[in-house]
Amino acid sequence: MSNNGRKIKSDWNLIGTPMRKVEGLDKSTGRALYTDDLVFPGMLHGKILRSPHPHARIVSIDTSSAEALDGVHGVVTGQDMPTTYGIIPWTPDEYPLCVDRVRYVGDGVAAVAAVDEDTALRALELIEVEYEELPAFFDPFEALEADGSTPYVHEPKKADWNGNVTKKVHLEFGEVDELMDGSDAVVEGEYFFEGSTHTAIEPHCAIGLWQAGGGFQRQDGESSGKLTVWSATQVPHYLHRELARVLEVDQAHVRVLQPLVGGAFGGKSEPFDLEFCVAKLSMITGRPVKILYTREEVFYAHRGRHPFHMKYRTGATAAGKLTSVDAEIVLDGGAYASFGLVTTYYAGQLLCAPYEMPAYRFDSTRVYTNKPACGPKRGHGSVQPRFAFEVQIDKLSERLDLDPIEFRRLNFIGSNTRTINELRVTSNGFMECLESVERESAWKDRFRKLPFGCGLGVAGSTYITGTNYPIYPNDMPQSGVQMQVDRSGRVAVFSGASEIGQGCDSMVAYIAAEELGVPLDYVRVLRGDTDFTPVDLGAYSSRVTFMVGNAAIDAARKLRGMVQEAVAEEWDVKPGEVLLAGGLALWAPDTERQMHVKEAFNLAEAKFGTLGSTGSYNTPKDVHGEYRGATIGASPAYSFTAHVAEVEVDVETGIVDVKKIWVAHDCGRALNPVLVEGQMEGSAYMGFGEALMEEQVFKDAEHGRAGLHDAPSLLDYRIPTSLDTPELQSLIVESIDPEGPYGAKEAGEGPLHPSIPAIANAIYDAVGVRMDRLPFSPPNVWRALEAAREADTLRKPILNPGAGAPTSTPELVPGD
Amino acid sequence: MEDFAFHRPGSVAEAQETLRGTEDSKFMAGGQSLIPLMKLDMAAPGAVVSLTGIDELRGIEQQDGSLVIGAGMTHSEVAESDDVRNAISALAGLAGSIGDPQVRNRGTLGGSVAHADPAADYPAALVALGATVITDRREIAAEDFFQGMFETPLETDEVITSVRFPVPDSAGYSKFPNPASKYAIAGVMVARNGADVKVAVTGAGTGVFRATAFEEALAGDFSAGALDGASVSADGLVSDTDASAEYRAHLVGVMARRAVEACG
């Protein structure tokens, strides 16, 4: 079923064909409105005062001089919003503004609304905060050893606990030690995955508008206010709930609007201080208030990829079958929990495909440190262990003299199966992914055969297509869509989905056009307003196409049935014989018999009354193991990916030039192959940047202020530009998932995973040097090359297929 | 950014008159260093006197075995000049490697030289080629001109009018750029005139400097091989998140070999 990007013949008219994004022209011509483009009469501008200390008690805050400054209309501090929140209901550990303690350089302390940003900034300088500095934790291992003699980052939930631990997970499946001991080869390695941030083009921005009375008059005579917040968020529903709870406003009187979002990548998937501040400042001033983060503030808000310290032991038989995997992981979480409880599970739970593991154990601990909080970034919690594991497999393959692609084939888990941790796998196109990258990269002719300095590396991966369980427990649908058709032939889609650039407005439009037979430009997608769209939980965990797509199909088919029935009655034929396609209703046995969809809709409206429908999707809830944590990682479908990367290493400077990455991805079905390829390329690009460039460096006391982000700007924080980006070749694989919309699965996050280990493995093929720590920046690679020169191991590795496994007792291969 | 007055005089004399008559004022050429500093409030002059409207600062001429380039010539103009390409192609290549197209279209030779950024490319060229900085009132040899980080002997109201580059037998430039700004993390210019070889290093230290050991090795045998295993001491070199002093010292050796190879 692999089509490598070419259109395959299908039962659908639009689905599977290249189509424009519905908002593409507006974005490319500058007409599209983002939150910061919105301006309201009387609008004030807010700024947030941030902590200069990594860890300190707030002794006192004096805002009187700031309030007295001309042009200042309102000032708030933590005391004005003393309710904790957190995206995960079990770990609410942050306030909109710090109440009594700051926990990282950049933590919000007070906020000002003024006539313009300059005045607000001057007002911030007039706020006097007295701090009592506390010892800070920067190293997760030191934080783990803390004994409470100085304050932990957070108060421990129980007296004898270490308050620096967010979450510990220990899970074991199968006979890990026995199978490890009985393995013919065991590889042991230590890995470090550097943290990274999202670098969405649009900084966070929010506007709050409090309307006292709000036009409502209650029966008891009291009038309630109405709160409206526009925000560049990827989770309007959760923001809606948290705004209501923290600000003590009835949820029914809170409205969240989501203008177009200029990228998010996980960095806007929970509430942030600015959203609470604009709301509270509007309540105080009675005027709309806008806050736009500076790029520097985006780096402090962070919630980026956690740095992971990882140890892996991986065993295999002489024939190349995996036997046992044992992992120990420490996550450097930063100052707040964010999604960290989930990250701690994902660190282990998402590794159990596409390879069959007879036994698996992981021990994963998330630690608080006094740095910006880490959270979810594209490939949440699973990109880091995937790096380590795919390098482990490369090392094992070499130990066993097996081609690493062959090793992966030997261990393929298959489709319609369960993983060792009891996750249900349905469709699985991983073998075709491997074949595609093997063929297109001419792997067999070139692996281990390129000249010294040039190399190829392979890696594979899997990722969830949404999660079976929502963030807050409930039995309601995960996604809802409403549709109506009108007398002009148009279809209006009311979608709760979050358009963050990934194309979900387009996706529901394609589905509406496909199912109701209207031209694409007859579809209006109305989205991003909690007042009139049904709930979708948000743009995270690669859930949107699968869940919103299924809900849209559900809504559209209900309407289609009514239209077919009305037309069938008119023509005196069977409803099933009425087709809706290409702007027409057609009689299948003789398509010369046809009418415009507008007429068809009018017939249906005459027969049934005003035409509207709702559609919803909920996830399967009975497909996981019975152990604690078994639901985390459970997804209705899994995507699969394989990469081959080709590199050239400059052995004098340590520069790694990635020449090309072949990306094969099983997305179930490509509803629009252009958007799928965009996601595949964007993912590989992002992984490439993490592999080669990105580094989260914080100053230490000897070089400035301890805990201060060293590079909170896009000049100093390195991401690739288009000039740096290698050639990327996308190879779409379609396994047609039984439960996905038209068989679709995710494409937005999975294709990132193999980028990093594929490049690491390619560097090894090029020069025989293992890069077990990110990033593979020139100085880091040069140091590794120097060490190899000294050890006289700097040479092209040799593949000797058929040589067989070592017959002696397995020796441990040190990883670093 | 704080408010400031902006003047764009038409001659060097007028520019100096304006500067002297305006409190807290500064000359600005292409503005590629001053404007970013002003945006960060690290500089806040009350008045900016632009040098971009002055014809006498423009032009490229050949003079008795030298190339005289007007201080107001942009990096793009130097990079694309046939005169420069024919006489000292390494200099044209160096100018074309500065920053990005936007920077090259605004930034000027005189502005870069006057600013004396320790990671700028031009200082390496001036020192290796034995160039002379010509101002409205005197001539200063390049080696005397660059006195360390942002340090030059220029007086407040002194304007660089041009730079005179003697045309060498051959020259080559190679740099390891900062991936974002394209400033040199280590940049090496090598120039040969008969047996005389000059090697100037930028980006690695707190100012441009000559690698005399490299010069001696190359004077005996002008080939990349003569520098095999050669490196400079890491003492006093810059250490930052891009590169440690030790790595910079190593890169100076690599870039020097590549610069010799580039001499052709």
Side-chain angles (χ1 to χ4, degrees):
Chain A
M1 272 173 279
S2 161
N3 75 348
N4 287 341
R6 294 183 303 276
K7 170 156 166 47
I8 59 168
K9 192 168 160 48
S10 80
D11 296 334
W12 316 107
N13 292 306
L14 297 172
I15 295 301
T17 67
M19 290 170 277
R20 283 186 174 177
K21 271 186 175 175
V22 294
E23 83 288 11
L25 198 60
D26 277 354
K27 284 182 171 170
S28 52
T29 56
R31 283 198 304 256
L33 294 179
Y34 297 85
T35 305
D36 189 41
D37 292 319
L38 306 180
V39 175
F40 297 96
M43 189 173 81
L44 301 172
H45 295 268
K47 281 283 169 194
I48 297 173
L49 181 69
R50 301 193 173 278
S51 166
H53 303 296
H55 200 187
R57 277 200 189 87
I58 298 173
V59 178
S60 66
I61 305 183
D62 182 353
T63 61
S64 55
S65 304
E67 284 169 72
L69 184 70
D70 212 23
V72 171
H73 287 254
V75 181
V76 290
T77 69
Q79 299 291 351
D80 296 304
M81 298 175 276
T83 304
T84 54
Y85 70 93
I87 185 70
I88 302 293
W90 295 277
T91 55
D93 65 355
E94 48 189 320
Y95 295 99
L97 294 168
C98 297
V99 172
D100 52 9
R101 187 126 62 103
V102 294
R103 293 182 167 85
Y104 69 96
V105 176
D107 222 350
V109 172
V112 170
V115 291
D116 54 34
E117 282 195 335
D118 284 345
T119 309
L121 285 170
R122 272 196 286 278
L124 292 188
E125 288 173 19
L126 298 173
I127 296 175
E128 286 173 30
V129 186
E130 190 187 336
Y131 294 100
E132 177 196 336
E133 289 187 57
L134 299 170
F137 298 96
F138 299 118
D139 178 79
F141 294 98
E142 283 173 24
L144 273 175
E145 280 166 18
D147 57 6
S149 57
T150 66
Y152 296 117
V153 180
H154 288 275
E155 294 307 315
K157 290 196 189 79
K158 291 183 185 167
D160 57 339
W161 285 13
N162 179 344
N164 291 340
V165 175
T166 320
K167 179 72 186 170
K168 268 181 101 65
V169 177
H170 183 97
L171 287 171
E172 189 162 345
F173 310 94
E175 306 294 326
V176 175
D177 294 322
E178 290 80 347
L179 288 173
M180 194 73 79
D181 291 345
S183 300
D184 295 318
V186 174
V187 164
E188 187 170 281
E190 265 191 68
Y191 301 86
F192 173 63
F193 198 107
E194 175 64 272
S196 63
T197 200
H198 316 84
T199 57
I201 288 177
E202 180 201 28
H204 303 56
C205 185
I207 302 167
L209 174 62
W210 173 254
Q211 290 162 295
F216 298 102
Q217 188 78 23
R218 293 207 313 233
Q219 279 181 332
D220 58 11
E222 294 291 309
S223 58
S224 58
K226 183 169 181 183
L227 175 65
T228 306
V229 171
W230 290 260
S231 181
T233 178
Q234 56 193 114
V235 285
H237 177 62
Y238 296 127
L239 178 60
H240 184 188
R241 289 165 53 87
E242 294 299 89
L243 283 170
R245 200 174 60 77
V246 172
L247 299 171
E248 297 175 340
V249 183
D250 187 340
Q251 259 193 53
H253 293 149
V254 177
R255 180 184 187 188
V256 173
L257 291 109
Q258 179 199 48
L260 287 173
V261 175
F265 309 108
K268 297 170 181 169
S269 50
E270 58 198 285
F272 287 88
D273 55 13
L274 81 169
E275 291 152 329
F276 298 105
C277 288
V278 293
K280 192 70 187 179
L281 285 166
S282 184
M283 287 173 163
I284 289 171
T285 61
R287 292 166 66 161
V289 178
K290 177 192 279 182
I291 295 182
L292 169 69
Y293 276 172
T294 61
R295 179 57 62 180
E296 185 178 350
E297 286 178 294
V298 176
F299 278 92
Y300 298 148
H302 192 43
R303 319 288 152 153
R305 204 181 299 295
H306 289 67
F308 272 27
H309 300 263
M310 301 173 279
K311 286 182 185 168
Y312 276 82
R313 285 200 307 149
T314 313
T317 66
K321 293 283 278 183
L322 284 170
T323 51
S324 186
V325 177
D326 190 6
E328 203 182 311
I329 301 166
V330 172
L331 293 71
D332 186 351
Y336 295 102
S338 178
F339 280 82
L341 183 148
V342 176
T343 323
T344 317
Y345 274 106
Y346 277 3
Q349 286 286 73
L350 300 185
L351 198 67
C352 299
Y355 317 115
E356 190 166 18
M357 291 181 185
Y360 177 45
R361 172 167 63 210
F362 72 90
D363 186 294
S364 160
T365 306
R366 185 183 191 269
V367 188
Y368 287 121
T369 49
N370 292 110
K371 294 182 284 195
C374 299
K377 181 182 166 190
R378 204 175 198 175
H380 182 192
S382 103
V383 169
Q384 302 97 319
R386 182 58 62 182
F387 158 60
F389 189 63
E390 295 290 323
V391 173
Q392 286 279 106
I393 287 185
D394 209 62
K395 293 175 181 176
L396 255 183
S397 305
E398 188 180 38
R399 285 286 307 287
L400 297 169
D401 273 316
L402 282 167
D403 178 303
I405 291 184
E406 204 48 46
F407 186 100
R408 287 172 170 83
R409 279 201 188 98
L410 280 170
N411 289 283
F412 178 55
I413 195 169
S415 50
N416 300 312
T417 184
R418 294 265 178 162
T419 62
I420 185 76
N421 57 347
E422 301 181 60
L423 303 177
R424 182 197 67 157
V425 174
T426 53
S427 59
N428 186 343
F430 183 62
M431 289 293 247
E432 285 130 291
C433 292
L434 281 178
E435 274 167 37
S436 294
V437 294
E438 183 182 53
R439 182 184 62 245
E440 294 298 318
S441 68
W443 174 269
K444 284 179 184 157
D445 298 332
R446 303 200 302 145
F447 176 67
R448 292 287 190 264
K449 293 171 188 160
L450 292 171
F452 175 72
C454 299
L456 290 179
V458 67
S461 67
T462 185
Y463 198 61
I464 53 174
T465 302
T467 61
N468 283 353
Y469 292 82
I471 286 172
Y472 69 94
N474 73 83
D475 295 324
M476 291 176 278
Q478 290 219 21
S479 288
V481 166
Q482 292 185 18
M483 259 181 222
Q484 66 180 42
V485 297
D486 70 18
R487 295 178 187 184
S488 70
R490 281 191 317 199
V491 182
V493 183
F494 297 86
S495 163
S498 294
E499 175 63 67
I500 57 172
Q502 86 281 41
C504 69
D505 285 358
S506 303
M507 185 270 300
V508 293
Y510 304 153
I511 289 174
E514 177 72 52
E515 294 292 332
L516 294 166
V518 299
L520 201 47
D521 62 1
Y522 273 35
V523 183
R524 300 283 185 279
V525 181
L526 300 143
R527 179 205 47 83
D529 186 337
T530 59
D531 263 16
F532 67 77
T533 61
V535 166
D536 175 69
L537 294 179
Y540 60 90
S541 77
S542 277
R543 52 183 295 291
V544 173
T545 293
F546 198 97
M547 299 193 189
V548 180
N550 273 327
I553 290 175
D554 185 26
R557 289 191 181 162
K558 286 172 185 164
L559 279 177
R560 190 180 69 183
M562 288 192 272
V563 176
Q564 285 173 310
E565 199 179 324
V567 174
E569 191 175 282
E570 175 79 7
W571 286 343
D572 196 19
V573 299
K574 290 179 189 147
E577 292 172 353
V578 176
L579 305 176
L580 298 176
L584 299 168
L586 310 126
W587 187 44
D590 174 9
T591 54
E592 290 300 308
R593 190 167 186 184
Q594 52 177 243
M595 67 173 79
H596 194 274
V597 282
K598 172 182 159 182
E599 284 175 66
F601 290 176
N602 291 357
L603 286 171
E605 188 174 337
K607 181 173 170 62
F608 295 105
T610 301
L611 294 172
S613 70
T614 63
S616 49
Y617 173 79
N618 210 349
T619 40
K621 293 292 194 295
D622 54 350
V623 289
H624 56 77
E626 290 304 316
Y627 59 94
R628 184 181 171 87
T631 59
I632 303 185
S635 172
Y638 295 86
S639 75
F640 296 91
T641 314
H643 284 199
V644 165
E646 180 172 352
V647 305
E648 188 172 343
V649 179
D650 179 339
V651 291
E652 286 189 311
T653 61
I655 292 175
V656 174
D657 182 9
V658 178
K659 314 294 278 186
K660 185 165 180 177
I661 305 175
W662 291 266
V663 184
H665 180 70
D666 166 23
C667 65
R669 185 193 294 279
L671 302 185
N672 178 351
V674 178
L675 294 193
V676 171
E677 284 174 8
Q679 289 294 336
M680 291 166 68
E681 290 173 7
S683 290
Y685 154 85
M686 193 172 252
F688 160 79
E690 292 183 36
L692 260 60
M693 294 187 182
E694 295 188 50
E695 225 167 340
Q696 293 266 99
V697 182
F698 296 89
K699 289 193 188 299
D700 57 29
E702 287 164 34
H703 300 91
R705 193 182 299 144
L708 177 66
H709 199 302
D710 197 53
S713 77
L714 291 182
L715 180 63
D716 294 318
Y717 184 87
R718 297 288 146 66
I719 55 169
T721 67
S722 53
L723 293 174
D724 303 309
T725 304
E727 185 184 350
L728 304 167
Q729 186 177 340
S730 295
L731 305 157
I732 294 175
V733 171
E734 297 187 302
S735 62
I736 314 300
D737 187 77
E739 295 174 25
Y742 309 101
K745 303 188 286 190
E746 76 90 30
E749 304 188 68
L752 190 154
H753 291 68
S755 306
I756 300 145
I759 292 171
N761 293 338
I763 293 171
Y764 183 74
D765 185 41
V767 291
V769 170
R770 286 287 177 198
M771 294 304 298
D772 293 340
R773 297 175 66 86
L774 288 179
F776 316 143
S777 59
N780 289 350
V781 173
W782 175 67
R783 265 194 298 278
L785 290 166
E786 286 294 285
R789 264 185 210 106
E790 270 177 39
D792 196 25
T793 55
L794 187 64
R795 68 177 68 86
K796 187 84 188 169
I798 298 163
L799 177 68
N800 191 10
T807 47
S808 57
T809 319
E811 77 187 88
L812 294 181
V813 178
D816 203 353
Chain B
M1 190 193 284
E2 297 295 322
D3 288 346
F4 60 93
F6 184 76
H7 304 279
R8 193 164 181 265
S11 70
V12 171
E14 193 191 335
Q16 287 168 323
E17 204 174 305
T18 310
L19 188 94
R20 290 183 199 117
T22 316
E23 206 176 317
D24 189 24
S25 57
K26 255 192 175 339
F27 287 135
M28 181 171 85
Q32 298 306 290
S33 299
L34 184 58
I35 296 283
L37 288 173
M38 289 167 68
K39 284 165 86 170
L40 292 168
D41 283 336
M42 290 167 75
V48 167
V49 181
S50 169
L51 302 176
T52 55
I54 302 175
D55 283 345
E56 57 201 287
L57 300 181
R58 302 191 45 79
I60 295 173
E61 287 177 41
Q62 306 245 28
Q63 285 179 2
D64 311 329
S66 285
L67 201 58
V68 179
I69 304 180
M73 298 305 282
T74 65
H75 309 321
S76 300
E77 287 167 336
V78 174
E80 286 158 20
S81 155
D82 284 339
D83 285 336
V84 181
R85 284 179 178 178
N86 292 336
I88 318 174
S89 65
L91 184 62
L94 174 147
S97 78
I98 296 171
D100 49 45
Q102 291 89 331
V103 168
R104 292 196 289 274
N105 287 338
R106 293 291 309 169
T108 66
L109 168 63
S112 172
V113 170
H115 189 55
D117 190 301
D121 296 280
Y122 270 128
L126 267 68
V127 170
L129 293 166
T132 302
V133 178
I134 302 167
T135 77
D136 60 276
R137 63 199 68 168
R138 54 181 166 160
E139 297 197 351
I140 311 167
E143 288 217 55
D144 300 327
F145 184 87
F146 296 106
Q147 300 177 336
M149 199 181 284
F150 307 116
E151 292 288 328
T152 73
L154 284 179
E155 291 170 42
T156 318
D157 63 348
E158 192 169 3
V159 175
I160 299 176
T161 54
S162 62
V163 178
R164 188 169 62 236
F165 294 92
V167 176
D169 292 348
S170 67
Y173 182 62
S174 181
K175 78 167 159 176
F176 187 98
N178 175 312
S181 68
K182 306 299 177 197
Y183 272 113
I185 285 173
V188 178
M189 185 88 169
V190 173
R192 184 172 66 87
N193 270 306
D196 179 47
V197 178
K198 283 203 181 77
V199 179
V201 180
T202 188
T206 54
V208 61
F209 65 90
R210 280 173 60 185
T212 45
F214 289 9
E215 292 176 353
E216 284 160 22
L218 290 170
D221 169 16
F222 193 78
S223 73
L227 298 179
D228 270 351
S231 73
V232 294
S233 163
D235 289 346
L237 296 192
V238 174
S239 212
D240 58 23
T241 47
D242 282 313
S244 63
E246 182 198 19
Y247 183 49
R248 276 190 163 84
H250 165 74
L251 288 176
V252 168
V254 177
M255 293 304 124
R257 286 196 292 279
R258 292 183 183 180
V260 171
E261 279 164 6
C263 286

